[in-house]
Amino acid sequence: MKLKLTLLFSLVLTTTFLKAQDSLMIRKIYDEELVNGQCYGNLHYLCKNIGQRISGSANAQKAIVWGEKLMKSYGFDTVFLQPVMVPHWVRGAKEEAAIIQGKNRVPVHIAALGMTVATPKTGLTAAIIEVHSLKQLDTLGEKGIKGKIVFFNRPFDPRFIETIQAYGTAGDQRFAGPAAAAKYGAVGVIVRSLTESLDIYPHTGATLYVKDGVNIPAAAISTIDANKLSSMLKGAAPIKFYFKQNCQTLPDAPSFNVVGEMKGTEHPNSYIIVGGHLDSWDLAEGAHDDGTGIMQSVEVLRILKVMEYKPKNSIRAVFFINEENGDRGGDKYAELAAKNKEEHIAAIETDLGGFTPRGFGFDGVSAAELQNINNNWGKLLAPYGSNMLVWGGGGSDIGPLKEKSNKVVLIGYLPDSQRYFDIHHTPNDVFENVNKRELELGAASMVALIYLIDQHGI
C-alpha cells in the first residue's frame, strides 16, 4: 500500500511538472508571435506584390517561387517543391447581366462560377425560373425547365451558429446545380451568392460538371440583386434574364506544392503537418482565403525554429496548390506520402480565415481520446481563447491523407466564423480586411497545439 501511494504521489508530481512546463512553453510561443510575429507582414507582401493566385496563372507561379524563397530564408531543415498538374481556367473579360422586363433593363452584379463555360459571344437571353433546391428540378422536369435559365435562390439558414454549416447546406446549388439543371434542358444557371450578407458583391466558387454531360454557363448573383430578381419574378409582367461571360478552360498547367520541414530528432519519419492553400480565386487578393492560412502555417515553423525547439517528430508547413478548383495539391501530397511510406500522425488545415481563434475540430479520435484532449490541453489553451476542442475537423487539402492512412488525425483550425462568408470568394477578400492581432493569435494557437501533439501524442 505504501509503495502504491509513493508511486501515485510521484505520478502526480510528474504530471504537475509537465503541465507547468507546457504552460511556460505556450506562454513563450505567444510572446514570440505577439512581439516578433511576421505572418502579417508576409501576408501584406503576398497580397499586394503578387495578388490573386488562381491555379495555372502566372501569379500562382510567382507565389510558389516566393513561398519557396521565404521558407528557405528561415533556415528550415528542408524546403522542397512537389510537382502537380493543375486545371487552368480563365475568367476573361468582366461579366455583364441584366433583368429584362419589357423595354426595361435592370443591370445586376454577377461573377462566373469557377470552371464554368462561356455564354455565346453576344450573351444569353432567356426566360428565368426560380427554384430553391435541386429536388425541385425533379418536380418541374424538362417541361418546366427546358430552354430556360434556372435561378437557384436558397439563402443561408441563419439558425446555424457556425456559418460554415450554413455554407454546407446551401453549397450544393452552386457546385451541383448547373449540372443538375442541364439534365432537364436548362440553357444557363444563376446562383444566389453563398452568404448571409446583403450586398452587391457576387461570390464565385467552383461548380462541377458531369463527365460527358451538357455544360451550360453558370454565374453567381449578389444577394441584393437575387432579392430584386426574386421580387420581380413574383410580379405580373414576364421576366427574362440576360448574361454574358467570357471564361474558358485551357489545358492543364504544371504547378507545385511548397513544403518546409523541421526534421524530428526521435521519429524523423513521423510527421505533423500544418497547411493551407496557396491558390485563390481571381476576384481579389485571396487574403483570408487562404493567404492567412498559409502565412500562419509557415509562421508555425518560424517560431519553433527561432525558439530553438527540437521536435521529436518531423513538422511540416505545406502550401497546397489548387484547393479552389480541383484539390490536385492535396491529392498529390497524400499520394507522395504513401509512396514514400511517411507516417502522418496529425494534419492541421487552416482555411476558414484569419479571424479570432476559438479552437480546433478533430477527426479520427475516439470519444475517450477527445475527452483526454480536453482534460489535458483545454486548461492550457483556455487563457488564449483557443480551447474549443470538438469533434469534426479536417479540410479538403488534408482529407486525402485519411484515405491513405487510418492512423492520421485530421484537425481543422476553428476561428470565429461570423464574418468569413461576408468576404469569401468576393472582391472584398483583401489585405485591409485582415486584423493583425487576430491573425497572430491564430498562428500562435497552432504552434501551441503542434507543440503539445509533438510532446505527448494524441
Side-chain angles (χ1 to χ4, degrees), residues 248-418:
Q248 59 179 317
T249 300
L250 303 175
D252 285 0
S255 195
F256 302 90
N257 293 328
V258 186
V259 184
E261 179 180 311
M262 293 178 68
K263 187 62 73 175
T265 57
E266 296 181 17
H267 313 291
N269 200 48
S270 180
Y271 293 89
I272 302 167
I273 72 167
V274 57
H277 61 87
L278 186 59
D279 61 305
S280 74
W281 284 112
D282 55 324
L283 298 180
E285 299 166 356
H288 277 288
D289 189 21
D290 186 26
T292 56
I294 59 174
M295 293 302 92
Q296 288 171 328
S297 298
V298 74
E299 190 76 345
V300 170
L301 264 65
R302 185 197 71 81
I303 290 175
L304 293 175
K305 176 77 174 178
V306 166
M307 296 180 69
E308 300 183 344
Y309 178 72
K310 304 298 181 185
K312 296 179 180 180
N313 306 278
S314 293
I315 301 175
R316 283 177 177 169
V318 185
F319 295 176
F320 295 97
I321 194 68
N322 188 228
E323 186 272 347
E324 293 291 8
N325 61 335
D327 292 321
R328 302 274 184 89
D331 289 338
K332 178 58 69 173
Y333 183 88
E335 175 191 320
L336 293 175
K339 180 180 178 181
N340 297 328
K341 294 182 170 53
E342 297 171 348
E343 180 187 357
H344 283 70
I345 59 173
I348 302 174
E349 184 160 335
T350 165
D351 187 20
L352 289 175
F355 301 101
T356 304
R358 295 286 182 249
F360 300 90
F362 294 79
D363 174 31
V365 297
S366 67
E369 287 168 333
L370 185 62
Q371 186 61 54
N372 283 335
I373 288 169
N374 275 278
N375 290 342
N376 294 325
W377 299 347
K379 289 182 180 179
L380 291 168
L381 298 174
Y384 310 99
S386 297
N387 58 322
M388 187 174 76
L389 308 174
V390 297
W391 260 322
S396 56
D397 281 320
I398 61 175
L401 281 171
K402 192 75 172 178
E403 299 169 17
K404 305 293 183 181
S405 170
N406 58 10
K407 294 180 181 179
V408 64
V409 175
L410 305 184
I411 303 169
Y413 169 59
L414 301 177
D416 182 273
S417 71
Q418 304 311 315

Side-chain angles (χ1 to χ4, degrees), residues 97-117:
I99 304 167
I100 303 172
Q101 190 176 55
K103 295 182 179 181
N104 186 30
R105 293 175 67 91
V106 181
V108 293
H109 303 84
I110 68 162
L113 296 184
M115 306 308 290
T116 186
V117 296

Side-chain angles (χ1 to χ4, degrees), residues 13 71 131 149 153 206 260 360 381:
L13 283 178
M71 288 193 186
V131 301
I149 296 170
N153 192 33
F360 300 90
L381 298 174

Side-chain angles (χ1 to χ4, degrees), residues 74-88:
Y74 287 138
F76 302 151
D77 294 335
T78 309
V79 177
F80 58 96
L81 301 179
Q82 294 179 326
V84 187
M85 293 299 292
V86 298
H88 189 187

Side-chain angles (χ1 to χ4, degrees), residues 97 110 113 128 149-153 173 188-192 217-221 229 241-243 245:
I110 68 162
L113 296 184
I128 187 164
I149 296 170
V150 171
F151 168 39
F152 287 98
N153 192 33
Q173 57 194 336
V189 162
I190 298 296
V191 182
R192 181 188 185 93
I221 186 171
L229 175 57
F241 194 86
Y242 158 82
F243 73 114
Q245 55 193 38

Side-chain angles (χ1 to χ4, degrees), residues 113-164:
L113 296 184
M115 306 308 290
T116 186
V117 296
T119 60
K121 290 184 178 180
T122 56
L124 171 65
T125 302
I128 187 164
I129 182 170
E130 180 178 351
V131 301
H132 291 88
S133 70
L134 271 65
K135 286 184 178 180
Q136 197 174 343
L137 298 176
D138 301 330
T139 302
L140 291 167
E142 187 174 299
K143 184 178 179 180
I145 294 172
K146 189 173 183 179
K148 297 177 181 177
I149 296 170
V150 171
F151 168 39
F152 287 98
N153 192 33
R154 183 162 82 256
F156 262 31
D157 187 337
R159 294 173 295 179
F160 287 108
I161 302 303
E162 297 301 329
T163 58
I164 186 64

